[in-house]
Amino acid sequence: MRVEPYLMFGGRADEAIAFYQQAIGAKVAMVLRFDESPDKDHPMPLPPNWGQKAMHCGMTVGDPLVMLSDGMSKEAVNYSGVTLSITADTEAQAKKMFDALAKGGNVFMPMGKTFWSPCFGMCSDQFGVSWMVGIDGPQA
């Protein structure tokens, strides 16, 4: 059993995929477009010209799988109450990812030393997805 985050991007999935590849080194495992579905009688009505939008995408960020989609509409997405957490291997890697994720977003807690990590910060990215980025363990 496993729990995997599934993010909806209201028509901006391709933009998000490219962003996460650059910002955090995400690797795309697969993308299924709406017009590639064998079920042509889709139960939810889609906006016009939605065929090339991402119905389902899986990408890895390190080991975990993160899934995403354009969703079923162009409505704005609200990620309230959900935060994705990245544990980097090094402080330099954490800072690089944090800076890339925060560009065009909002910084809630700048990168810095805490009692639980020598390098930790919180931000949201340009899509409104919240992130916690840090490294393991207290600094000696």
Side-chain angles (χ1 to χ4, degrees), residues 23 39 77 99 103 129 131:
D39 184 2
V77 179
D99 289 344
K103 185 176 183 180
V129 177
W131 295 89

Side-chain angles (χ1 to χ4, degrees), residues 32-88:
L32 176 66
R33 307 287 174 181
F34 281 103
D35 63 4
E36 296 172 330
S37 172
D39 184 2
K40 300 303 179 196
D41 297 321
H42 200 275
M44 296 287 291
L46 297 172
N49 303 314
W50 207 252
Q52 281 298 299
K53 296 290 185 181
M55 181 171 77
H56 178 70
C57 172
M59 61 184 188
T60 56
V61 182
D63 292 329
L65 182 68
V66 176
M67 296 182 289
L68 58 93
S69 172
D70 275 304
M72 304 288 197
S73 73
K74 297 177 186 179
E75 291 181 26
V77 179
N78 180 1
Y79 295 104
S80 178
V82 176
T83 300
L84 300 181
S85 179
I86 296 179
T87 302

Side-chain angles (χ1 to χ4, degrees), residues 79-112:
Y79 295 104
S80 178
V82 176
T83 300
L84 300 181
S85 179
I86 296 179
T87 302
D89 294 326
T90 66
E91 187 170 320
Q93 182 187 41
K95 287 180 178 179
K96 182 179 178 183
M97 287 191 293
F98 181 85
D99 289 344
L101 288 167
K103 185 176 183 180
N106 294 302
V107 173
F108 307 131
M109 180 179 177
M111 293 294 285

